Amino acid sequence: MPIKKRITIKQVASEASVSTQTVSRVINNRPDVAPETRQRVEEVVERLGYHPSALARSLIQQHSYTLGVVTAGLKYIGPSRTLNGIAQQTEAMGYSLLLKELPRFDANDFEPLLQSLLARQVDGVIWAVPQIGANRYWLKEHVPHLPIPIMFLTMEPQPGISIVSIDNYQGGRLATKHLLEQGYRRIGHISGPLDWWEARERKRAWENTLLEAGLPVEECQSVEGNWSSSSSDRAFRQLLDQFPGLDAVFVGNDQMALSVYAIASARGIRIPQDLGVVGFDGIPESAYYWPALTTIDQNQHELGCNAISELVYMIETSEHGKKEVEPRVIILQPELIIRESSPRRPI
Amino acid sequence: MPIKKRITIKQVASEASVSTQTVSRVINNRPDVAPETRQRVEEVVERLGYHPSALARSLIQQHSYTLGVVTAGLKYIGPSRTLNGIAQQTEAMGYSLLLKELPRFDANDFEPLLQSLLARQVDGVIWAVPQIGANRYWLKEHVPHLPIPIMFLTMEPQPGISIVSIDNYQGGRLATKHLLEQGYRRIGHISGPLDWWEARERKRAWENTLLEAGLPVEECQSVEGNWSSSSSDRAFRQLLDQFPGLDAVFVGNDQMALSVYAIASARGIRIPQDLGVVGFDGIPESAYYWPALTTIDQNQHELGCNAISELVYMIETSEHGKKEVEPRVIILQPELIIRESSPRRPI
DNA sequence: CTGAAAGCGCTAACAC
DNA sequence: GTGTTAGCGCTTTCAG
């Protein structure tokens, strides 16, 4: 039961007529306490509503059981789903979470952020900000000097860095191959913003898959969006104008696919009869687009979970074994979900 | 620059040939330091890459400059947008954020959660979990005994409790009145899950507004969903079956409106010619439904910002003035966004 | 202006 | 089994 004033270990000790050390042993479940002493102490702890200060404990043990997470764009569903996994797994592993959100995706003043986490003695850090532009420039120089493990999400593998990522290239490949297999031939692409690594990977996969199938890929065949529905509103109209004969489009995410649907409806282009569509992300809503959207499901929740498991593993082995843990790279595979927006094309 | 080993104030002191107090004064910008001493210390701080331990500081000052936030359902966009506001405002006010996510919306084992926050000496708590079922039962008994301020989001005002909420009743009223004004008369409702306070408020507003307009409200005129698109898939079909002559529907949130669109399309019901639709939430995507969705915009980001400003105010005045701050209730007003799904009905 | 001593709440290491 | 001593890294108090 929460109480108005904070009780200290001293008060418990004096109330139970033992030393603080004994109280400490009881609350930490150490063996060397006489059963009746233990019981007496426990009774006092209960009665006073005593709860040990994690702060004091962290200070002396040099171990806070707290993880720092740096994120960006929580107002979007992707980062939130990842954070959801992170929070859940952190809790499950008995740690707490200190949250920092970057004001912008491409903010790159990593230093004060990292310091504020280090000042609070976090045991490890998850850098859950996607790789954009040059926002990873500091890795090479600074990561090796950090006193604690740091785990990066969603970025290009790099020697010496621990990373958990989703295979965006493979996702783009699955999407494009699916469209090819269904008989589409003039396949356009609405990409995410190309300063994002993920957007580039998806586009690169689309391009290579077409080329490997012996199809030409022209400049006018793809347009850049910025992940938002409103951006693809413009992008899709441009694509229609500049690439005649379009029979399918691979859209960089499900939000952008939504306005592809809207523009198509407004222009009398029927999906899927006149135009096949494949999205990316697998947001729950995409199953209720009409027609239901074929998409690439990326499990961002699991991404977060994996990152934490791995990070905690790094923390705990580097403590025990005293030797540094080898940086590890984990790549999760996305999945193709076939729905109604990409049926086999009649010959 | 981050450094491998942690530097302590002692090392800085000895390196600069001063006492630790002097170093302390310098890093806290206290006045009583000779300019040249200050400069010498600053130089050493810089050279060694010293950063004070927030932990040790919190311990002695009994003030951690950290806020605890308890949230739930981060995989949904609503809670994330709120957390976004919370994180941003917390940062802006110079605090850090300790994040806890409930495994389920209706989890009500508040006790261990609160204790784990208190153990880390948070200066205040934001309870950002919506009011559902009896998950507020503990307030009356426990809140008055908490040693720190606690701020609740999204719940029914209650004496003695600090709350920031959005006026869901007013939102439901705006939506329903709009449909009435546009000439719709047989207006159905797909509600959120009715153990949610927000869902009940929206429904109550819909019902009262119809009654005040002299229209009957029958049992068969509304169906309960669970906020997800899939739930309203079922709910809307049921509504169509059980309430003939439906000419408009007020849907509890924008996600559920999405499958109303899908079912309508599949059944040849034209929106808006045959059916007017109004949603709730104002998610960015709703502007790209086809036709664009009229909805009630609730600014959840601002909700989070307000909650933090208020909480920090409570913390800082209760410290200075030593007297408890009066609990405050802040109600934010949602806004009607008129788009294309609810045109004036031809007579 | 500066330093010495005390202590925040807890635990590690050692005595008894 | 249990208590004592020391100290995590910092700030407060008070003396000079």
Side-chain angles (χ1 to χ4, degrees):
Chain A
M1 173 190 347
I3 27 55
K4 200 75 192 180
K5 264 212 56 59
R6 226 178 281 280
I7 307 293
T8 72
I9 199 171
K10 260 191 193 160
Q11 299 171 49
V12 175
S14 94
E15 188 79 8
S17 315
V18 292
S19 71
T20 60
Q21 197 42 234
T22 302
V23 177
S24 172
R25 286 196 263 260
V26 170
I27 60 183
N28 290 293
N29 269 314
R30 297 292 167 71
D32 326 357
V33 183
E36 55 185 42
T37 311
R38 160 161 285 143
Q39 177 155 6
R40 185 155 37 97
V41 171
E42 277 170 345
E43 189 266 320
V44 174
V45 164
E46 185 63 27
R47 180 154 53 79
L48 263 45
Y50 166 71
H51 292 274
S53 158
L55 227 53
R57 215 175 241 175
S58 302
L59 187 59
I60 189 133
Q61 297 188 150
Q62 302 289 67
H63 191 333
S64 65
Y65 287 100
T66 299
L67 269 25
V69 56
V70 180
T71 183
L74 280 183
K75 68 175 166 181
Y76 302 105
I77 194 63
S80 306
R81 294 205 291 176
T82 304
L83 182 59
N84 180 233
I86 289 175
Q88 187 180 307
Q89 190 65 18
T90 302
E91 190 72 21
M93 308 206 66
Y95 281 71
S96 284
L97 210 54
L98 211 45
L99 175 69
K100 296 279 166 190
E101 184 180 8
L102 293 180
R104 299 193 333 274
F105 271 117
D106 57 348
N108 51 18
D109 49 342
F110 65 98
E111 179 102 44
L113 260 178
L114 226 38
Q115 285 305 343
S116 100
L117 290 174
L118 289 174
R120 282 184 166 73
Q121 219 89 314
V122 296
D123 298 331
V125 169
I126 297 272
W127 198 268
V129 183
Q131 180 175 9
I132 302 167
N135 73 355
R136 291 286 195 278
Y137 74 94
W138 49 279
L139 259 60
K140 275 270 184 285
E141 191 178 349
H142 289 87
V143 168
H145 301 287
L146 285 179
I148 53 170
I150 180 167
M151 180 94 228
F152 289 85
L153 257 46
T154 318
M155 65 173 278
E156 186 151 30
Q158 200 169 105
I161 307 290
S162 289
I163 290 174
V164 180
S165 252
I166 283 169
D167 193 337
N168 283 277
Y169 186 84
Q170 180 60 14
R173 215 180 155 66
L174 286 172
T176 313
K177 266 179 68 181
H178 169 67
L179 285 170
L180 287 170
E181 283 165 11
Q182 299 291 65
Y184 300 92
R185 283 299 171 268
R186 290 185 65 81
I187 303 172
H189 178 48
I190 297 176
S191 72
L194 293 172
D195 50 345
W196 286 55
W197 173 70
E198 297 162 275
R200 286 195 304 275
E201 287 290 290
R202 293 173 198 178
K203 182 176 179 186
R204 191 166 66 86
W206 160 79
E207 189 166 339
N208 286 350
T209 308
L210 289 186
L211 290 174
E212 284 164 21
L215 294 170
V217 177
E218 292 166 53
E219 184 73 29
C220 65
Q221 206 163 337
S222 68
V223 184
E224 181 176 354
N226 72 4
W227 301 131
S228 75
S229 303
S230 75
S231 74
S232 95
D233 181 288
R234 180 194 52 68
F236 182 51
R237 278 185 295 196
Q238 188 181 331
L239 186 62
L240 285 173
D241 290 351
Q242 73 187 29
F243 186 59
L246 185 76
D247 63 10
V249 58
F250 165 41
V251 189
N253 75 359
D254 295 350
Q255 273 84 9
M256 295 198 293
L258 186 58
S259 49
V260 166
Y261 274 52
I263 299 289
S265 296
R267 296 217 178 171
I269 300 170
R270 295 165 306 163
I271 297 174
Q273 296 89 331
D274 304 330
L275 185 75
V277 182
V278 176
F280 204 115
D281 269 1
I283 62 174
E285 288 76 23
S286 64
Y288 296 90
Y289 289 10
W290 195 79
L293 181 68
T294 295
T295 190
I296 304 294
D297 184 47
Q298 55 168 332
N299 194 334
Q300 301 183 92
H301 182 272
E302 202 192 327
L303 182 77
C305 290
N306 271 282
I308 292 296
S309 306
E310 205 50 36
L311 180 64
V312 170
Y313 172 78
M314 288 168 69
I315 291 168
E316 299 189 341
T317 61
S318 82
E319 251 156 33
H320 273 281
K322 65 242 324 153
K323 57 164 69 161
E324 292 289 311
V325 187
E326 281 298 295
R328 219 157 353 148
V329 176
I330 299 181
I331 307 291
L332 303 178
Q333 291 305 319
E335 270 175 47
L336 172 68
I337 303 181
I338 301 177
R339 299 208 188 97
E340 282 132 41
S341 63
S342 59
R344 169 156 284 283
R345 197 166 174 70
I347 312 163
Chain B
M1 169 188 354
I3 27 55
K4 199 76 193 181
K5 263 212 57 61
R6 227 177 279 282
I7 306 294
T8 72
I9 198 171
K10 259 192 196 160
Q11 299 171 48
V12 175
S14 93
E15 188 78 9
S17 314
V18 292
S19 71
T20 59
Q21 320 337 313
T22 303
V23 178
S24 173
R25 284 182 193 114
V26 171
I27 60 182
N28 290 295
N29 269 314
R30 297 291 168 72
D32 325 358
V33 183
E36 53 185 44
T37 311
R38 161 160 284 142
Q39 176 155 6
R40 183 155 39 97
V41 172
E42 276 169 347
E43 188 267 319
V44 174
V45 164
E46 185 64 27
R47 180 155 53 79
L48 263 45
Y50 166 71
H51 292 273
S53 157
L55 228 53
R57 215 174 239 176
S58 302
L59 188 59
I60 191 137
Q61 298 189 148
Q62 302 289 66
H63 192 335
S64 64
Y65 286 99
T66 299
L67 269 26
V69 56
V70 181
T71 182
L74 280 184
K75 66 176 166 178
Y76 302 105
I77 193 63
S80 307
R81 294 205 290 177
T82 304
L83 182 58
N84 181 233
I86 289 175
Q88 188 181 307
Q89 190 66 16
T90 301
E91 190 73 21
M93 309 207 65
Y95 282 71
S96 285
L97 209 54
L98 210 45
L99 176 70
K100 296 278 167 191
E101 183 180 8
L102 293 179
R104 299 193 334 273
F105 272 117
D106 58 348
N108 52 18
D109 49 343
F110 66 97
E111 178 100 45
L113 258 179
L114 225 39
Q115 284 306 343
S116 98
L117 289 175
L118 289 174
R120 282 184 165 75
Q121 221 88 313
V122 296
D123 297 331
V125 170
I126 296 273
W127 198 267
V129 183
Q131 180 176 8
I132 301 166
N135 73 355
R136 290 288 195 279
Y137 75 94
W138 49 278
L139 258 61
K140 276 268 184 284
E141 192 178 348
H142 290 88
V143 168
H145 301 287
L146 286 180
I148 51 171
I150 179 167
M151 180 93 228
F152 290 85
L153 257 47
T154 318
M155 64 173 279
E156 186 151 30
Q158 202 169 104
I161 307 290
S162 289
I163 291 174
V164 180
S165 252
I166 283 170
D167 193 338
N168 283 277
Y169 186 85
Q170 181 60 14
R173 214 180 156 66
L174 286 173
T176 313
K177 265 179 67 181
H178 169 68
L179 286 170
L180 287 170
E181 283 165 11
Q182 299 291 64
Y184 300 93
R185 282 300 171 268
R186 290 184 64 81
I187 303 173
H189 178 47
I190 297 176
S191 73
L194 293 172
D195 50 345
W196 287 55
W197 174 70
E198 297 162 274
R200 286 195 304 275
E201 288 290 289
R202 293 173 199 179
K203 181 176 179 185
R204 191 165 67 86
W206 161 79
E207 189 166 339
N208 286 351
T209 308
L210 289 186
L211 291 173
E212 285 163 20
L215 294 170
V217 177
E218 293 167 53
E219 183 73 28
C220 64
Q221 208 164 333
S222 69
V223 184
E224 181 176 354
N226 72 4
W227 301 130
S228 74
S229 302
S230 76
S231 75
S232 96
D233 181 287
R234 181 194 51 67
F236 182 52
R237 278 185 294 196
Q238 187 181 333
L239 186 62
L240 285 173
D241 290 350
Q242 73 188 30
F243 186 59
L246 185 77
D247 63 10
V249 58
F250 165 40
V251 189
N253 74 359
D254 294 350
Q255 274 83 10
M256 296 198 294
L258 185 59
S259 48
V260 166
Y261 275 53
I263 299 289
S265 296
R267 296 216 180 171
I269 300 169
R270 295 165 306 162
I271 297 174
Q273 296 90 330
D274 305 329
L275 185 75
V277 182
V278 176
F280 204 114
D281 269 1
I283 62 174
E285 288 76 23
S286 64
Y288 296 90
Y289 289 11
W290 195 78
L293 181 67
T294 294
T295 189
I296 303 295
D297 184 47
Q298 55 168 330
N299 194 334
Q300 300 184 90
H301 182 271
E302 203 193 327
L303 183 76
C305 290
N306 271 284
I308 292 295
S309 306
E310 205 50 36
L311 180 64
V312 169
Y313 171 79
M314 289 168 70
I315 291 169
E316 298 188 342
T317 62
S318 83
E319 250 155 34
H320 273 281
K322 66 244 320 153
K323 56 165 66 162
E324 292 288 312
V325 186
E326 281 298 295
R328 230 181 315 173
V329 175
I330 299 182
I331 307 290
L332 303 178
Q333 291 305 318
E335 269 176 49
L336 173 67
I337 303 181
I338 302 177
R339 300 209 188 96
E340 282 132 41
S341 62
S342 59
R344 169 156 285 282
R345 199 167 173 70
I347 312 162

